[in-house]
Amino acid sequence: MSTTIFTSAQRAAHCVLSLEQSVYHACKKERGTLGKIADIYGVNYNTLALQVNPNRSSHTLAPETIELVLEHTQSPLIMDAICCAHGNAGWFLLPDADNQCDEMVDIALLGQKFANLNSTSLDAYADKIIEADEYASMQKDGHALIGHIQTILENAKRNMERHNDR
């Protein structure tokens, strides 16, 4: 797989991106996102567009801008980038408190996420050379697996608390 080169859209779907790229993709995923952010938070649209464009060096991506984009889009791409920049961090979303979960479906999905990581890893190691895109793809699948494990554990904890309050 080392000879495969991802396009920008494929890289966003399969890999962990840099923070600048992840903010840009979060803003461009849905048409009109930048305009909505500018309207809601009262920032200048043109300045915002220049800040989130990773190909422009005239404006820098301020932490406040990252916060606005993350708050509005809830993009997992940004969270993946932040955790990878840290190096020893991971993230996951806990299920909603009123979430009606199906434990068997969650466990089945866990197996699927493990299979995804296994497949990605085997493809990456096939030629004994790990390229940057392959490693980023392995990271993304690994984070998804860890996040799903946390979801199962949180749902189990809520089930235990709900049934042991009697």
Side-chain angles (χ1 to χ4, degrees):
M1 186 171 160
S2 293
T3 58
T4 303
I5 298 174
F6 286 139
T7 65
S8 177
Q10 289 171 324
R11 189 169 288 112
H14 298 290
C15 300
V16 176
L17 304 174
S18 70
L19 185 57
E20 291 83 10
Q21 292 170 334
S22 64
V23 170
Y24 176 76
H25 278 279
C27 289
K28 295 297 182 177
K29 188 170 186 168
E30 184 180 315
R31 185 174 172 84
T33 300
L34 273 178
K36 290 177 189 173
I37 293 171
D39 287 344
I40 292 169
Y41 300 103
V43 294
N44 183 288
Y45 174 84
N46 293 324
T47 302
L48 184 63
L50 289 171
Q51 287 178 336
V52 302
N53 187 342
N55 299 319
R56 298 287 299 219
S57 59
S58 60
H59 289 77
T60 58
L61 184 59
E64 295 82 11
T65 303
I66 298 168
E67 183 180 3
L68 296 178
V69 173
L70 182 59
E71 184 177 329
H72 182 75
T73 64
Q74 300 288 303
S75 174
L77 296 174
I78 298 172
M79 293 302 298
D80 286 343
I82 290 170
C83 289
C84 286
H86 181 280
N88 267 346
W91 73 276
F92 54 89
L93 290 173
L94 292 175
D96 294 331
D98 58 350
N99 181 27
Q100 297 296 323
C101 66
D102 184 347
E103 292 83 3
M104 293 303 146
V105 171
D106 281 345
I107 292 169
L109 286 173
L110 178 67
Q112 183 181 12
K113 290 186 185 299
F114 179 77
N116 290 346
L117 175 61
N118 194 28
S119 175
T120 302
S121 300
L122 288 172
D123 287 346
Y125 279 108
D127 61 356
K128 309 254 191 288
I129 299 171
I130 304 294
E131 299 292 337
D133 280 347
E134 293 171 327
Y135 179 71
S137 186
M138 289 170 63
Q139 276 184 312
K140 188 165 189 162
D141 286 346
H143 289 261
L145 176 63
I146 292 166
H148 198 75
I149 290 169
Q150 291 300 331
T151 297
I152 289 172
L153 291 174
E154 183 64 22
N155 284 333
K157 178 182 171 189
R158 290 178 184 167
N159 182 300
M160 176 192 70
E161 290 170 348
R162 188 172 49 245
H163 291 95
N164 289 328
D165 283 344
R166 300 175 188 167

